[in-house]
Amino acid sequence: MNKSANKPNKHHFLPVFYLHQWAGADRKIVRFTKPYGNIVRPLRVHPDGAGYIERLYAVEGLPDEAKQDLETEFLSPVDSRAADALKAMLAGGDFTQAQRLAWAGFIATLLFRMPRAIASLKENLSQLWGKFIPGLEKIYAALPASDRNETLDDYLHGAGKGELAAKAMDAVRSLMGDEDVVRLLAALEWSVLTTDNAKHELLTSDRPVIHSDGLNHAGSHLIVPMGPRRLFIAVKDRSLIAKVRSAGQDKLVRAVNDFVVSNATVTVCGRTDSQLQFIQNRMGSETQPSLLSRLPEMQQAIVADLMQAWEMQSTLIAEALPERLKD
């Protein structure tokens, strides 16, 4: 049997266990999207029918059985462990260190797994691959015809590009699972705030994490909606939790919803459609760069040096290749 046939094509950037917290009595949530132009449309769906894009994390150019490894071999196990941790947190009982690390690991993935960040990565990857092509053309031209097992075009659009894409996704996986980040998140002071008395319910979206710049200073904080009436907060200084509470539930819910909706690029999710106008007025209006989308800017100087070295190296390889093949 072809193993790839059993691999899921629905790649959830918002896992089903997480979205299930917004499910009503009919076990459905409301998914808000903009299918046509700028008009927001609500649709009541099962949690499995929201928060995903077909083959979002697939690496084209690799063998079928390896294309979806980021989803099946990494994100799915992370989500499974986090689902158990969420149950324990909401139950208010004992919370083990393993569960704490599981939830911290899940939060770390939310910083990098969202659609716009992954799309940006793939676009930058395509541009980077284009910069390698002139050097590869020189090396290919230096090969004797008898050693050319495939055309250059086949390699450039197949295995070669797939190998680079795989390395990029491996880098994303390393960022998502960075042990230092997970331990830093796990070491923060945690609390689950309730907003039962707020006028409106909490929403979530494809940008559900609110966080400070850096998580290792006195004002560090990270906030994630974990249901229509529950809010996860992690801080460096526990006194900040009291300050957040002092704002009042209505102001807190409005501030959180304003952020997650304004930064949404693909979808907003809620328990009901009662906040449709709020979402229509704000969805995607103030999107901030994600951590992953900032990486290309941070790495421009590194890429420039890399390409300069590649230009020199590919020339030397092409010049030396005929002699080496004679040996």
Side-chain angles (χ1 to χ4, degrees), residues 207-224:
R207 290 290 297 279
V209 184
I210 305 170
H211 61 86
S212 56
D213 288 333
L215 294 173
N216 205 23
H217 56 82
S220 295
H221 60 274
L222 183 145
I223 298 172
V224 183

Side-chain angles (χ1 to χ4, degrees), residues 108-174:
T109 70
L110 291 183
L111 296 171
F112 296 103
R113 71 194 284 180
M114 294 305 154
R116 172 166 283 189
I118 297 299
S120 176
L121 172 72
K122 289 184 176 180
E123 175 61 26
N124 285 308
L125 179 65
S126 181
Q127 294 175 8
L128 180 60
W129 180 239
K131 295 178 181 180
F132 277 91
I133 290 177
L136 290 169
E137 287 174 337
K138 285 187 290 187
I139 295 172
Y140 185 82
L143 282 172
S146 59
D147 290 321
R148 297 174 184 177
N149 296 324
E150 59 182 336
T151 67
L152 179 61
D153 189 65
D154 286 341
Y155 177 77
L156 294 178
H157 293 90
K161 193 171 184 178
E163 289 166 9
L164 184 62
K167 290 184 182 300
M169 283 302 184
D170 283 345
V172 173
R173 176 172 176 166
S174 296

Side-chain angles (χ1 to χ4, degrees), residues 35-65:
Y36 311 108
N38 197 42
I39 303 302
V40 175
R41 300 294 186 192
L43 182 66
R44 198 152 190 87
V45 298
H46 185 272
D48 185 60
Y52 77 91
I53 290 178
E54 294 279 344
R55 299 173 62 82
L56 175 62
Y57 309 114
V59 181
E60 301 306 327
L62 291 183
D64 288 345
E65 63 272 15

Side-chain angles (χ1 to χ4, degrees), residues 291-303:
L291 290 178
L292 190 56
S293 66
R294 294 175 197 165
L295 290 180
E297 299 174 11
M298 296 162 58
Q299 295 175 348
Q300 281 181 356
I302 298 174
V303 170

